Amino acid sequence: MMGSESCSAVRGQISTGGRHSRLHQTLATMAVPGMNKKLYSQTEKYLGDEMKQQLVKCTADNAEHEKNHAIEIDLFHQAIPAIKVIVDVGWSKRTHKHFYNAKRGVAVIFGHYTKKLLFLGVRNKFCSICAIHDNKNSDPPTHRCYKNWNGSSSAMETDIICEGFRMSETLYSIRYMFVIGDGDSSVMANIRSSVPYGIFVTKIECANHAYKAYRSCLEELARDHPQYKGKGGLTKRAIQRLTTGARIAI
Ligand SMILES: [Zn+2]
């Protein structure tokens, strides 16, 4: 067990995107003795393992609540409790419809009834130790390697979400029969082809993603067709009004 001060200090850095050097500088400015690098790494590993254990426990509890609710409202698919889920994705370097070269991707599946997490997956194309030794054309030493993905950045989200769907029965004895999420058709196509019960899954469009897609289309129109620009056309203000109206209507 690590000291509580060490844990708090390292947890603070993890939460704010800092590392050992920043903690060291902060403490030095405050004239407080720093933490040595080895203790920092050990504490970071300890906290990482603790978080993983808590995550497994929390997601199992959340799934149990979702399952009980499905039984209560008598919603089954082929005698297995069926639930509605929300899926979302994130990248280390990408915004809605921009930048497709992310090195890391994360995707999550939430239960719609509890609004709590059921599955989380991370795909990582980069490991600094592997990269350094790749450049030197040498074999990397034994290390905790974070690289687990060699495919394209855009395929990360699909892979994680399909993995979550495939594991729903073995992990929690439930099926994700209704999906609320963004409009990426490749996710649904892959759920249908790679999940045993995938062909029965129904897609429900997410209002937020629908209006973002609408805004992107209007911006594209204004950018690619000069006749729509200027007064009375698709100005920034007009696009804002149209998308706000669309979101309210949905
Ligand atoms: Zn590595």
Side-chain angles (χ1 to χ4, degrees), residues 127 130 143 145:
C127 165
C130 287
H143 63 288
C145 188

Side-chain angles (χ1 to χ4, degrees), residues 165-184:
F165 271 71
R166 279 195 300 274
M167 289 169 77
S168 74
E169 276 188 70
T170 43
L171 284 179
Y172 311 131
S173 306
I174 50 179
R175 286 185 177 181
Y176 305 152
M177 296 312 297
F178 305 93
V179 193
I180 302 165
D182 69 19
D184 192 331

Side-chain angles (χ1 to χ4, degrees), residues 181-224:
D182 69 19
D184 192 331
S185 54
S186 73
V187 174
M188 275 317 288
N190 275 283
I191 286 175
R192 298 222 158 92
S193 63
S194 74
V195 179
Y197 59 88
I199 51 164
F200 303 107
V201 175
T202 306
K203 171 88 189 286
I204 301 168
E205 289 297 337
C206 165
N208 281 335
H209 283 101
Y211 104 87
K212 276 184 195 168
Y214 177 53
R215 186 182 62 196
S216 292
C217 290
L218 290 174
E219 283 170 354
E220 214 173 288
L221 260 180
R223 192 183 60 234
D224 299 343

Side-chain angles (χ1 to χ4, degrees), residues 126-131 140 143-147:
F126 183 78
C127 165
S128 57
I129 296 174
C130 287
H143 63 288
R144 196 181 240 213
C145 188
Y146 293 99
K147 189 174 171 183

Side-chain angles (χ1 to χ4, degrees), residues 55-74:
L55 182 70
V56 170
K57 191 181 170 307
C58 285
T59 47
D61 286 350
N62 300 340
E64 192 63 25
H65 285 138
E66 288 284 344
K67 185 178 166 184
N68 290 340
H69 176 67
I71 294 168
E72 257 171 48
I73 61 169
D74 198 24

